[in-house]
Amino acid sequence: MRMRMRFFGYSEVNLLRGDPPFSAALPRVSGKVCSLIVFLLLGTLGHTTGSAIPSSPEYRLRFYHTHTGERLDVVYRRGDQYIPEALDELDHYLRDHRTGDVRHFDPRLFDLLYDLTASLGDSGGEIDVICGYRTPWSNEFLRTRSPHTGVAQHSLHMKAEAIDIRLPGIPTSELRDAALGLHRGGVGYYRSSDFVHVDVGRVRRW
């Protein structure tokens, strides 16, 4: 008598044992594994994406006003965006100290100051402010005090596009040369009064 042997497949063995077939168990296992893989990938992707985005650089200016004695330390720009609240603060700080009048400054002037101090290796150093905004009244008052004041009748100080400064520890002649090297506007050198005028008007010097 010839005996016939039968080999049971995996699914049939499971059925004999009372276990679910492989095809039914597979989705549950695969689903858990896939979920774990997706979770790990998303976590890694999120970390990589967040790490790859650089933070915007900050542009900071520090001032000491020689007439009011006030100091200001302000971040006026992040990346390519000016900060409106900081610009308002700068406008008030650079007001006409004789009359208290405020005028909105051309923000390019602040970029000029930032680049000027950076070119001298003094980025973040304190800037002494001699004069910021001037009303027409203040401008005429200064202009007529003496024939040698050097105050222009149509000074850009009246348009809030100019500022008179010095940098502590840096000769004004060196400050003048650095400003001239930027080719970003007018540069005036007042040796006897120890300050330099810079503005964002046409390129010129005196």
Side-chain angles (χ1 to χ4, degrees), residues 62-94:
R62 297 175 60 236
F63 295 103
Y64 169 72
H65 203 299
T66 59
H67 291 287
T68 66
E70 298 171 337
R71 281 187 159 87
L72 179 65
D73 184 340
V74 61
V75 174
Y76 72 94
R77 178 180 150 193
R78 289 190 179 92
D80 295 330
Q81 301 297 317
Y82 293 106
I83 303 172
E85 297 81 5
L87 295 183
D88 290 342
E89 195 173 0
L90 282 162
D91 291 342
H92 180 264
Y93 180 80
L94 297 173

PDB file of all heavy atoms in Angstrom, residues 62-94:
ATOM      1  N   ARG A  62      24.169 101.748  17.210  1.00  0.00           N
ATOM      2  CA  ARG A  62      24.243 102.261  18.569  1.00  0.00           C
ATOM      3  C   ARG A  62      24.679 103.720  18.508  1.00  0.00           C
ATOM      4  O   ARG A  62      25.649 104.061  17.822  1.00  0.00           O
ATOM      5  CB  ARG A  62      25.226 101.438  19.406  1.00  0.00           C
ATOM      6  CG  ARG A  62      24.825  99.988  19.569  1.00  0.00           C
ATOM      7  CD  ARG A  62      25.883  99.180  20.294  1.00  0.00           C
ATOM      8  NE  ARG A  62      26.138  99.710  21.631  1.00  0.00           N
ATOM      9  CZ  ARG A  62      27.335 100.084  22.077  1.00  0.00           C
ATOM     10  NH1 ARG A  62      28.397  99.997  21.297  1.00  0.00           N
ATOM     11  NH2 ARG A  62      27.463 100.545  23.302  1.00  0.00           N
ATOM     12  N   PHE A  63      23.961 104.585  19.223  1.00  0.00           N
ATOM     13  CA  PHE A  63      24.207 106.022  19.152  1.00  0.00           C
ATOM     14  C   PHE A  63      24.388 106.642  20.540  1.00  0.00           C
ATOM     15  O   PHE A  63      23.817 106.182  21.529  1.00  0.00           O
ATOM     16  CB  PHE A  63      23.031 106.735  18.486  1.00  0.00           C
ATOM     17  CG  PHE A  63      22.804 106.392  17.040  1.00  0.00           C
ATOM     18  CD1 PHE A  63      21.774 105.537  16.675  1.00  0.00           C
ATOM     19  CD2 PHE A  63      23.598 106.929  16.041  1.00  0.00           C
ATOM     20  CE1 PHE A  63      21.540 105.233  15.352  1.00  0.00           C
ATOM     21  CE2 PHE A  63      23.375 106.629  14.713  1.00  0.00           C
ATOM     22  CZ  PHE A  63      22.340 105.778  14.365  1.00  0.00           C
ATOM     23  N   TYR A  64      25.142 107.744  20.525  1.00  0.00           N
ATOM     24  CA  TYR A  64      25.176 108.654  21.669  1.00  0.00           C
ATOM     25  C   TYR A  64      25.002 110.050  21.107  1.00  0.00           C
ATOM     26  O   TYR A  64      25.768 110.490  20.235  1.00  0.00           O
ATOM     27  CB  TYR A  64      26.499 108.567  22.430  1.00  0.00           C
ATOM     28  CG  TYR A  64      26.661 109.673  23.448  1.00  0.00           C
ATOM     29  CD1 TYR A  64      25.910 109.665  24.626  1.00  0.00           C
ATOM     30  CD2 TYR A  64      27.525 110.751  23.213  1.00  0.00           C
ATOM     31  CE1 TYR A  64      26.027 110.693  25.551  1.00  0.00           C
ATOM     32  CE2 TYR A  64      27.648 111.773  24.137  1.00  0.00           C
ATOM     33  CZ  TYR A  64      26.894 111.752  25.302  1.00  0.00           C
ATOM     34  OH  TYR A  64      26.996 112.767  26.207  1.00  0.00           O
ATOM     35  N   HIS A  65      23.976 110.763  21.596  1.00  0.00           N
ATOM     36  CA  HIS A  65      23.696 112.122  21.097  1.00  0.00           C
ATOM     37  C   HIS A  65      24.447 113.139  21.956  1.00  0.00           C
ATOM     38  O   HIS A  65      24.216 113.231  23.161  1.00  0.00           O
ATOM     39  CB  HIS A  65      22.192 112.402  21.138  1.00  0.00           C
ATOM     40  CG  HIS A  65      21.749 113.470  20.185  1.00  0.00           C
ATOM     41  ND1 HIS A  65      22.207 114.765  20.266  1.00  0.00           N
ATOM     42  CD2 HIS A  65      20.901 113.417  19.120  1.00  0.00           C
ATOM     43  CE1 HIS A  65      21.650 115.485  19.311  1.00  0.00           C
ATOM     44  NE2 HIS A  65      20.865 114.695  18.586  1.00  0.00           N
ATOM     45  N   THR A  66      25.331 113.892  21.330  1.00  0.00           N
ATOM     46  CA  THR A  66      26.192 114.812  22.077  1.00  0.00           C
ATOM     47  C   THR A  66      25.431 116.005  22.648  1.00  0.00           C
ATOM     48  O   THR A  66      25.936 116.671  23.556  1.00  0.00           O
ATOM     49  CB  THR A  66      27.334 115.316  21.179  1.00  0.00           C
ATOM     50  OG1 THR A  66      26.789 115.989  20.034  1.00  0.00           O
ATOM     51  CG2 THR A  66      28.205 114.157  20.694  1.00  0.00           C
ATOM     52  N   HIS A  67      24.252 116.310  22.132  1.00  0.00           N
ATOM     53  CA  HIS A  67      23.478 117.459  22.627  1.00  0.00           C
ATOM     54  C   HIS A  67      22.451 117.056  23.683  1.00  0.00           C
ATOM     55  O   HIS A  67      22.231 117.802  24.654  1.00  0.00           O
ATOM     56  CB  HIS A  67      22.781 118.174  21.474  1.00  0.00           C
ATOM     57  CG  HIS A  67      23.714 118.882  20.541  1.00  0.00           C
ATOM     58  ND1 HIS A  67      24.370 120.050  20.873  1.00  0.00           N
ATOM     59  CD2 HIS A  67      24.129 118.556  19.283  1.00  0.00           C
ATOM     60  CE1 HIS A  67      25.141 120.434  19.863  1.00  0.00           C
ATOM     61  NE2 HIS A  67      25.013 119.540  18.892  1.00  0.00           N
ATOM     62  N   THR A  68      21.811 115.931  23.520  1.00  0.00           N
ATOM     63  CA  THR A  68      20.766 115.520  24.465  1.00  0.00           C
ATOM     64  C   THR A  68      21.290 114.545  25.527  1.00  0.00           C
ATOM     65  O   THR A  68      20.629 114.350  26.553  1.00  0.00           O
ATOM     66  CB  THR A  68      19.599 114.846  23.718  1.00  0.00           C
ATOM     67  OG1 THR A  68      20.060 113.615  23.139  1.00  0.00           O
ATOM     68  CG2 THR A  68      19.062 115.752  22.621  1.00  0.00           C
ATOM     69  N   GLY A  69      22.447 113.929  25.261  1.00  0.00           N
ATOM     70  CA  GLY A  69      22.988 112.941  26.182  1.00  0.00           C
ATOM     71  C   GLY A  69      22.279 111.598  26.117  1.00  0.00           C
ATOM     72  O   GLY A  69      22.548 110.697  26.910  1.00  0.00           O
ATOM     73  N   GLU A  70      21.369 111.441  25.178  1.00  0.00           N
ATOM     74  CA  GLU A  70      20.605 110.200  25.046  1.00  0.00           C
ATOM     75  C   GLU A  70      21.413 109.138  24.288  1.00  0.00           C
ATOM     76  O   GLU A  70      22.200 109.460  23.394  1.00  0.00           O
ATOM     77  CB  GLU A  70      19.288 110.449  24.306  1.00  0.00           C
ATOM     78  CG  GLU A  70      18.352 111.397  25.016  1.00  0.00           C
ATOM     79  CD  GLU A  70      17.157 111.782  24.160  1.00  0.00           C
ATOM     80  OE1 GLU A  70      17.242 111.685  22.915  1.00  0.00           O
ATOM     81  OE2 GLU A  70      16.140 112.181  24.743  1.00  0.00           O
ATOM     82  N   ARG A  71      21.166 107.900  24.663  1.00  0.00           N
ATOM     83  CA  ARG A  71      21.769 106.768  23.955  1.00  0.00           C
ATOM     84  C   ARG A  71      20.657 105.917  23.334  1.00  0.00           C
ATOM     85  O   ARG A  71      19.540 105.852  23.853  1.00  0.00           O
ATOM     86  CB  ARG A  71      22.615 105.909  24.899  1.00  0.00           C
ATOM     87  CG  ARG A  71      23.979 106.492  25.181  1.00  0.00           C
ATOM     88  CD  ARG A  71      24.874 105.537  25.975  1.00  0.00           C
ATOM     89  NE  ARG A  71      26.276 105.876  25.831  1.00  0.00           N
ATOM     90  CZ  ARG A  71      26.930 106.753  26.580  1.00  0.00           C
ATOM     91  NH1 ARG A  71      26.269 107.392  27.536  1.00  0.00           N
ATOM     92  NH2 ARG A  71      28.206 107.008  26.365  1.00  0.00           N
ATOM     93  N   LEU A  72      21.012 105.255  22.247  1.00  0.00           N
ATOM     94  CA  LEU A  72      20.051 104.371  21.577  1.00  0.00           C
ATOM     95  C   LEU A  72      20.798 103.176  21.013  1.00  0.00           C
ATOM     96  O   LEU A  72      21.836 103.311  20.368  1.00  0.00           O
ATOM     97  CB  LEU A  72      19.333 105.118  20.441  1.00  0.00           C
ATOM     98  CG  LEU A  72      18.310 104.304  19.643  1.00  0.00           C
ATOM     99  CD1 LEU A  72      17.139 103.894  20.540  1.00  0.00           C
ATOM    100  CD2 LEU A  72      17.804 105.099  18.447  1.00  0.00           C
ATOM    101  N   ASP A  73      20.256 101.997  21.288  1.00  0.00           N
ATOM    102  CA  ASP A  73      20.785 100.740  20.756  1.00  0.00           C
ATOM    103  C   ASP A  73      19.601 100.056  20.086  1.00  0.00           C
ATOM    104  O   ASP A  73      18.664  99.623  20.766  1.00  0.00           O
ATOM    105  CB  ASP A  73      21.357  99.885  21.896  1.00  0.00           C
ATOM    106  CG  ASP A  73      22.012  98.595  21.394  1.00  0.00           C
ATOM    107  OD1 ASP A  73      21.706  98.169  20.267  1.00  0.00           O
ATOM    108  OD2 ASP A  73      22.812  98.010  22.144  1.00  0.00           O
ATOM    109  N   VAL A  74      19.608  99.957  18.759  1.00  0.00           N
ATOM    110  CA  VAL A  74      18.413  99.511  18.057  1.00  0.00           C
ATOM    111  C   VAL A  74      18.753  98.617  16.869  1.00  0.00           C
ATOM    112  O   VAL A  74      19.712  98.876  16.139  1.00  0.00           O
ATOM    113  CB  VAL A  74      17.582 100.725  17.593  1.00  0.00           C
ATOM    114  CG1 VAL A  74      18.373 101.600  16.627  1.00  0.00           C
ATOM    115  CG2 VAL A  74      16.265 100.297  16.960  1.00  0.00           C
ATOM    116  N   VAL A  75      17.966  97.552  16.706  1.00  0.00           N
ATOM    117  CA  VAL A  75      18.007  96.737  15.486  1.00  0.00           C
ATOM    118  C   VAL A  75      16.938  97.314  14.567  1.00  0.00           C
ATOM    119  O   VAL A  75      15.743  97.232  14.866  1.00  0.00           O
ATOM    120  CB  VAL A  75      17.720  95.252  15.789  1.00  0.00           C
ATOM    121  CG1 VAL A  75      17.625  94.448  14.487  1.00  0.00           C
ATOM    122  CG2 VAL A  75      18.801  94.668  16.687  1.00  0.00           C
ATOM    123  N   TYR A  76      17.362  97.933  13.472  1.00  0.00           N
ATOM    124  CA  TYR A  76      16.420  98.644  12.617  1.00  0.00           C
ATOM    125  C   TYR A  76      16.004  97.837  11.385  1.00  0.00           C
ATOM    126  O   TYR A  76      15.083  98.226  10.658  1.00  0.00           O
ATOM    127  CB  TYR A  76      17.024  99.985  12.161  1.00  0.00           C
ATOM    128  CG  TYR A  76      18.136  99.848  11.143  1.00  0.00           C
ATOM    129  CD1 TYR A  76      17.876  99.924   9.779  1.00  0.00           C
ATOM    130  CD2 TYR A  76      19.454  99.635  11.540  1.00  0.00           C
ATOM    131  CE1 TYR A  76      18.897  99.795   8.843  1.00  0.00           C
ATOM    132  CE2 TYR A  76      20.472  99.509  10.623  1.00  0.00           C
ATOM    133  CZ  TYR A  76      20.188  99.585   9.264  1.00  0.00           C
ATOM    134  OH  TYR A  76      21.200  99.439   8.337  1.00  0.00           O
ATOM    135  N   ARG A  77      16.688  96.697  11.165  1.00  0.00           N
ATOM    136  CA  ARG A  77      16.413  95.916   9.956  1.00  0.00           C
ATOM    137  C   ARG A  77      16.775  94.456  10.191  1.00  0.00           C
ATOM    138  O   ARG A  77      17.754  94.149  10.878  1.00  0.00           O
ATOM    139  CB  ARG A  77      17.239  96.496   8.799  1.00  0.00           C
ATOM    140  CG  ARG A  77      17.116  95.778   7.473  1.00  0.00           C
ATOM    141  CD  ARG A  77      17.989  96.467   6.440  1.00  0.00           C
ATOM    142  NE  ARG A  77      18.480  95.543   5.448  1.00  0.00           N
ATOM    143  CZ  ARG A  77      19.446  95.795   4.583  1.00  0.00           C
ATOM    144  NH1 ARG A  77      20.059  96.965   4.607  1.00  0.00           N
ATOM    145  NH2 ARG A  77      19.827  94.889   3.703  1.00  0.00           N
ATOM    146  N   ARG A  78      15.949  93.550   9.637  1.00  0.00           N
ATOM    147  CA  ARG A  78      16.265  92.118   9.629  1.00  0.00           C
ATOM    148  C   ARG A  78      16.196  91.629   8.189  1.00  0.00           C
ATOM    149  O   ARG A  78      15.142  91.699   7.558  1.00  0.00           O
ATOM    150  CB  ARG A  78      15.293  91.327  10.503  1.00  0.00           C
ATOM    151  CG  ARG A  78      15.486  91.555  11.993  1.00  0.00           C
ATOM    152  CD  ARG A  78      14.678  90.569  12.833  1.00  0.00           C
ATOM    153  NE  ARG A  78      14.914  90.817  14.263  1.00  0.00           N
ATOM    154  CZ  ARG A  78      14.159  91.612  14.995  1.00  0.00           C
ATOM    155  NH1 ARG A  78      13.127  92.238  14.447  1.00  0.00           N
ATOM    156  NH2 ARG A  78      14.425  91.787  16.284  1.00  0.00           N
ATOM    157  N   GLY A  79      17.311  91.138   7.703  1.00  0.00           N
ATOM    158  CA  GLY A  79      17.360  90.737   6.302  1.00  0.00           C
ATOM    159  C   GLY A  79      17.096  91.937   5.417  1.00  0.00           C
ATOM    160  O   GLY A  79      17.735  92.981   5.553  1.00  0.00           O
ATOM    161  N   ASP A  80      16.107  91.810   4.531  1.00  0.00           N
ATOM    162  CA  ASP A  80      15.753  92.912   3.631  1.00  0.00           C
ATOM    163  C   ASP A  80      14.586  93.745   4.155  1.00  0.00           C
ATOM    164  O   ASP A  80      14.117  94.648   3.463  1.00  0.00           O
ATOM    165  CB  ASP A  80      15.384  92.360   2.239  1.00  0.00           C
ATOM    166  CG  ASP A  80      16.568  91.698   1.550  1.00  0.00           C
ATOM    167  OD1 ASP A  80      17.710  92.120   1.813  1.00  0.00           O
ATOM    168  OD2 ASP A  80      16.342  90.756   0.759  1.00  0.00           O
ATOM    169  N   GLN A  81      14.136  93.458   5.369  1.00  0.00           N
ATOM    170  CA  GLN A  81      12.954  94.133   5.897  1.00  0.00           C
ATOM    171  C   GLN A  81      13.325  95.134   6.995  1.00  0.00           C
ATOM    172  O   GLN A  81      13.927  94.776   7.993  1.00  0.00           O
ATOM    173  CB  GLN A  81      11.975  93.093   6.464  1.00  0.00           C
ATOM    174  CG  GLN A  81      11.496  92.067   5.445  1.00  0.00           C
ATOM    175  CD  GLN A  81      10.701  92.693   4.321  1.00  0.00           C
ATOM    176  OE1 GLN A  81       9.850  93.563   4.564  1.00  0.00           O
ATOM    177  NE2 GLN A  81      10.964  92.267   3.096  1.00  0.00           N
ATOM    178  N   TYR A  82      12.939  96.405   6.760  1.00  0.00           N
ATOM    179  CA  TYR A  82      13.083  97.410   7.806  1.00  0.00           C
ATOM    180  C   TYR A  82      11.998  97.192   8.859  1.00  0.00           C
ATOM    181  O   TYR A  82      10.902  96.731   8.547  1.00  0.00           O
ATOM    182  CB  TYR A  82      12.967  98.822   7.226  1.00  0.00           C
ATOM    183  CG  TYR A  82      14.091  99.201   6.306  1.00  0.00           C
ATOM    184  CD1 TYR A  82      13.895  99.265   4.924  1.00  0.00           C
ATOM    185  CD2 TYR A  82      15.364  99.488   6.803  1.00  0.00           C
ATOM    186  CE1 TYR A  82      14.940  99.605   4.067  1.00  0.00           C
ATOM    187  CE2 TYR A  82      16.407  99.837   5.948  1.00  0.00           C
ATOM    188  CZ  TYR A  82      16.188  99.886   4.589  1.00  0.00           C
ATOM    189  OH  TYR A  82      17.226 100.210   3.742  1.00  0.00           O
ATOM    190  N   ILE A  83      12.321  97.526  10.089  1.00  0.00           N
ATOM    191  CA  ILE A  83      11.380  97.347  11.197  1.00  0.00           C
ATOM    192  C   ILE A  83      10.712  98.693  11.476  1.00  0.00           C
ATOM    193  O   ILE A  83      11.367  99.627  11.960  1.00  0.00           O
ATOM    194  CB  ILE A  83      12.112  96.840  12.447  1.00  0.00           C
ATOM    195  CG1 ILE A  83      12.843  95.526  12.122  1.00  0.00           C
ATOM    196  CG2 ILE A  83      11.149  96.646  13.602  1.00  0.00           C
ATOM    197  CD1 ILE A  83      13.759  95.050  13.228  1.00  0.00           C
ATOM    198  N   PRO A  84       9.432  98.845  11.166  1.00  0.00           N
ATOM    199  CA  PRO A  84       8.756 100.151  11.295  1.00  0.00           C
ATOM    200  C   PRO A  84       8.895 100.777  12.669  1.00  0.00           C
ATOM    201  O   PRO A  84       9.137 101.988  12.789  1.00  0.00           O
ATOM    202  CB  PRO A  84       7.291  99.820  10.970  1.00  0.00           C
ATOM    203  CG  PRO A  84       7.359  98.592  10.110  1.00  0.00           C
ATOM    204  CD  PRO A  84       8.516  97.806  10.637  1.00  0.00           C
ATOM    205  N   GLU A  85       8.735  99.979  13.728  1.00  0.00           N
ATOM    206  CA  GLU A  85       8.826 100.532  15.088  1.00  0.00           C
ATOM    207  C   GLU A  85      10.224 101.078  15.363  1.00  0.00           C
ATOM    208  O   GLU A  85      10.380 102.113  16.027  1.00  0.00           O
ATOM    209  CB  GLU A  85       8.487  99.460  16.115  1.00  0.00           C
ATOM    210  CG  GLU A  85       7.070  98.924  16.034  1.00  0.00           C
ATOM    211  CD  GLU A  85       6.888  97.872  14.950  1.00  0.00           C
ATOM    212  OE1 GLU A  85       7.905  97.493  14.314  1.00  0.00           O
ATOM    213  OE2 GLU A  85       5.738  97.442  14.736  1.00  0.00           O
ATOM    214  N   ALA A  86      11.240 100.399  14.847  1.00  0.00           N
ATOM    215  CA  ALA A  86      12.622 100.856  15.041  1.00  0.00           C
ATOM    216  C   ALA A  86      12.874 102.143  14.277  1.00  0.00           C
ATOM    217  O   ALA A  86      13.570 103.046  14.766  1.00  0.00           O
ATOM    218  CB  ALA A  86      13.596  99.772  14.604  1.00  0.00           C
ATOM    219  N   LEU A  87      12.321 102.251  13.076  1.00  0.00           N
ATOM    220  CA  LEU A  87      12.494 103.477  12.287  1.00  0.00           C
ATOM    221  C   LEU A  87      11.818 104.657  12.989  1.00  0.00           C
ATOM    222  O   LEU A  87      12.356 105.775  12.987  1.00  0.00           O
ATOM    223  CB  LEU A  87      11.913 103.288  10.881  1.00  0.00           C
ATOM    224  CG  LEU A  87      12.609 102.246   9.992  1.00  0.00           C
ATOM    225  CD1 LEU A  87      11.971 102.221   8.602  1.00  0.00           C
ATOM    226  CD2 LEU A  87      14.112 102.530   9.875  1.00  0.00           C
ATOM    227  N   ASP A  88      10.663 104.416  13.580  1.00  0.00           N
ATOM    228  CA  ASP A  88       9.983 105.478  14.342  1.00  0.00           C
ATOM    229  C   ASP A  88      10.848 105.929  15.523  1.00  0.00           C
ATOM    230  O   ASP A  88      10.938 107.127  15.825  1.00  0.00           O
ATOM    231  CB  ASP A  88       8.631 104.986  14.859  1.00  0.00           C
ATOM    232  CG  ASP A  88       7.612 104.793  13.743  1.00  0.00           C
ATOM    233  OD1 ASP A  88       7.819 105.336  12.651  1.00  0.00           O
ATOM    234  OD2 ASP A  88       6.622 104.071  13.985  1.00  0.00           O
ATOM    235  N   GLU A  89      11.465 104.952  16.166  1.00  0.00           N
ATOM    236  CA  GLU A  89      12.326 105.263  17.313  1.00  0.00           C
ATOM    237  C   GLU A  89      13.534 106.091  16.869  1.00  0.00           C
ATOM    238  O   GLU A  89      13.935 107.046  17.550  1.00  0.00           O
ATOM    239  CB  GLU A  89      12.782 103.954  17.961  1.00  0.00           C
ATOM    240  CG  GLU A  89      13.375 104.116  19.342  1.00  0.00           C
ATOM    241  CD  GLU A  89      13.655 102.786  20.023  1.00  0.00           C
ATOM    242  OE1 GLU A  89      13.387 101.731  19.414  1.00  0.00           O
ATOM    243  OE2 GLU A  89      14.142 102.804  21.175  1.00  0.00           O
ATOM    244  N   LEU A  90      14.097 105.742  15.725  1.00  0.00           N
ATOM    245  CA  LEU A  90      15.237 106.495  15.191  1.00  0.00           C
ATOM    246  C   LEU A  90      14.828 107.906  14.783  1.00  0.00           C
ATOM    247  O   LEU A  90      15.575 108.864  15.002  1.00  0.00           O
ATOM    248  CB  LEU A  90      15.828 105.747  13.985  1.00  0.00           C
ATOM    249  CG  LEU A  90      16.716 104.546  14.329  1.00  0.00           C
ATOM    250  CD1 LEU A  90      16.879 103.619  13.124  1.00  0.00           C
ATOM    251  CD2 LEU A  90      18.083 105.021  14.809  1.00  0.00           C
ATOM    252  N   ASP A  91      13.654 108.033  14.177  1.00  0.00           N
ATOM    253  CA  ASP A  91      13.164 109.364  13.790  1.00  0.00           C
ATOM    254  C   ASP A  91      13.060 110.281  15.005  1.00  0.00           C
ATOM    255  O   ASP A  91      13.454 111.456  14.959  1.00  0.00           O
ATOM    256  CB  ASP A  91      11.791 109.256  13.112  1.00  0.00           C
ATOM    257  CG  ASP A  91      11.861 108.588  11.750  1.00  0.00           C
ATOM    258  OD1 ASP A  91      12.966 108.512  11.171  1.00  0.00           O
ATOM    259  OD2 ASP A  91      10.804 108.128  11.267  1.00  0.00           O
ATOM    260  N   HIS A  92      12.524 109.744  16.088  1.00  0.00           N
ATOM    261  CA  HIS A  92      12.392 110.553  17.307  1.00  0.00           C
ATOM    262  C   HIS A  92      13.751 110.858  17.912  1.00  0.00           C
ATOM    263  O   HIS A  92      14.000 111.983  18.373  1.00  0.00           O
ATOM    264  CB  HIS A  92      11.499 109.842  18.326  1.00  0.00           C
ATOM    265  CG  HIS A  92      11.333 110.609  19.594  1.00  0.00           C
ATOM    266  ND1 HIS A  92      12.115 110.382  20.723  1.00  0.00           N
ATOM    267  CD2 HIS A  92      10.493 111.628  19.922  1.00  0.00           C
ATOM    268  CE1 HIS A  92      11.761 111.216  21.672  1.00  0.00           C
ATOM    269  NE2 HIS A  92      10.780 111.978  21.232  1.00  0.00           N
ATOM    270  N   TYR A  93      14.613 109.873  17.904  1.00  0.00           N
ATOM    271  CA  TYR A  93      15.934 110.067  18.502  1.00  0.00           C
ATOM    272  C   TYR A  93      16.725 111.149  17.759  1.00  0.00           C
ATOM    273  O   TYR A  93      17.429 111.951  18.379  1.00  0.00           O
ATOM    274  CB  TYR A  93      16.708 108.746  18.468  1.00  0.00           C
ATOM    275  CG  TYR A  93      18.088 108.846  19.075  1.00  0.00           C
ATOM    276  CD1 TYR A  93      18.267 108.815  20.455  1.00  0.00           C
ATOM    277  CD2 TYR A  93      19.220 108.986  18.274  1.00  0.00           C
ATOM    278  CE1 TYR A  93      19.529 108.923  21.020  1.00  0.00           C
ATOM    279  CE2 TYR A  93      20.484 109.093  18.830  1.00  0.00           C
ATOM    280  CZ  TYR A  93      20.629 109.052  20.201  1.00  0.00           C
ATOM    281  OH  TYR A  93      21.887 109.168  20.753  1.00  0.00           O
ATOM    282  N   LEU A  94      16.600 111.175  16.434  1.00  0.00           N
ATOM    283  CA  LEU A  94      17.364 112.127  15.610  1.00  0.00           C
ATOM    284  C   LEU A  94      16.570 113.397  15.316  1.00  0.00           C
ATOM    285  O   LEU A  94      16.855 114.112  14.358  1.00  0.00           O
ATOM    286  CB  LEU A  94      17.782 111.449  14.296  1.00  0.00           C
ATOM    287  CG  LEU A  94      18.733 110.253  14.464  1.00  0.00           C
ATOM    288  CD1 LEU A  94      18.946 109.549  13.120  1.00  0.00           C
ATOM    289  CD2 LEU A  94      20.073 110.701  15.035  1.00  0.00           C
TER     290      LEU A  94
END
